[in-house]
Amino acid sequence: MYQWLDAGKMRELWYDLIMSISGALILVGIVLTWMVRRKIERVTGESRTSSALLLIGGLLTSLGFSLSVLNGRNMSQTMLTLILVGPAMIGYALYDMGFQGVSVRLLLQSAVLLLSLLGAGHYSTVAVDIAYVGPFLAVLLLMNSQIIVTEGNRRRLLVVASWMMVLFSWTRYLLDDTSGVLKALIVVPYFISVVVWVMVLISMYLSVSPDYLPLPRSGQEGL
């Protein structure tokens, strides 16, 4: 019996570790997105407050999500506000930067992600399930803003990663009813999605130069 309990604790420990690392990587991805933008601004000589709004929106989303996790999924009004306001600020910042076109892929992904709320209340409380969608939507917005300005393998990797994020928005409801390998099969695609996103962002940051500016198509044509 005690061995079974120890195994159960180990399963929860690895799950908590993976989810904590994923949360930290999302924060890294948000900061990297801001760093890429700031590097572009230094190359082009422009300066916009939208890059600061992008970073603040990402930090608010991450803060609200982290506080909810630390409080054992007890969602307060303040946490929920942070998680909802953060993605809105990210969306506005991207629009101000010139990412004004909404792709069919983003519309479809957003619709599928929001439809996942039909299962709200199963994984946790309704408020927490709604709050989880905030960070997912924020990352989706950032991924798609990067997809439209990248090509080749980076673009293909980001498209796959974005769909993995959407998939997890549905499969996360099964986490409480699974363990071991089955639980890993649900969590791993989400973790891989975040890792791929961060790796692509690192590649983009290192490649930004006067010869390569990952800007919206309209911005590139203006240059």
Side-chain angles (χ1 to χ4, degrees):
M1 176 178 178
Y2 292 109
Q3 291 178 345
W4 180 85
L5 288 173
D6 289 341
K9 291 178 180 178
M10 288 302 294
R11 284 196 296 269
E12 289 300 320
L13 285 176
W14 74 256
Y15 168 73
D16 291 341
L17 179 62
I18 290 294
M19 296 304 290
S20 297
I21 293 174
S22 299
L25 286 174
I26 288 178
L27 179 57
V28 170
I30 291 169
V31 174
L32 278 170
T33 302
W34 173 74
M35 289 174 64
V36 169
R37 180 63 199 182
R38 289 296 297 152
K39 193 172 182 180
I40 292 172
E41 290 175 354
R42 286 195 293 270
V43 173
T44 61
E46 64 178 331
S47 180
R48 292 185 177 180
T49 57
S50 51
S51 58
L53 289 176
L54 181 69
L55 179 61
I56 293 171
L59 293 177
L60 289 179
T61 304
S62 179
L63 177 61
F65 183 74
S66 299
L67 288 175
S68 68
V69 172
L70 291 174
N71 281 273
R73 299 178 182 174
N74 294 318
M75 185 66 60
S76 69
Q77 186 64 43
T78 300
M79 298 172 195
L80 186 58
T81 300
L82 289 174
I83 290 173
L84 296 178
V85 170
M89 291 183 67
I90 290 173
Y92 176 79
L94 291 174
Y95 178 85
D96 191 51
M97 288 176 184
F99 294 91
Q100 300 174 10
V102 179
S103 67
V104 175
R105 180 188 52 257
L106 177 57
L107 287 174
L108 180 59
Q109 289 179 336
S110 299
V112 174
L113 190 150
L114 291 174
L115 283 173
S116 71
L117 289 176
L118 292 173
H122 174 77
Y123 178 60
S124 187
T125 65
V126 173
V128 171
D129 283 333
I130 292 174
Y132 267 59
V133 170
F136 294 156
L137 186 57
V139 173
L140 265 186
L141 286 172
L142 294 174
M143 282 184 176
N144 277 272
S145 71
Q146 290 139 12
I147 286 171
I148 66 174
V149 297
T150 54
E151 297 175 340
N153 290 332
R154 279 190 291 213
R155 178 185 175 87
R156 285 188 283 271
L157 286 171
L158 284 175
V159 169
V160 172
S162 64
W163 279 111
M164 284 183 174
M165 186 68 65
V166 174
L167 175 64
F168 183 70
S169 71
W170 283 83
T171 58
R172 66 191 174 98
Y173 292 123
L174 303 174
L175 288 172
D176 282 351
D177 301 323
T178 56
S179 61
V181 175
L182 290 178
K183 197 164 193 171
L185 289 175
I186 296 172
V187 174
V188 168
Y190 165 69
F191 181 70
I192 291 175
S193 170
V194 176
V195 170
V196 167
W197 177 49
V198 170
M199 295 303 295
V200 170
L201 281 170
I202 291 174
S203 174
M204 290 177 66
Y205 178 78
L206 294 175
S207 61
V208 169
S209 69
D211 298 322
Y212 175 73
L213 292 173
L215 294 170
R217 301 305 179 194
S218 58
Q220 292 176 0
E221 292 168 0
L223 289 174

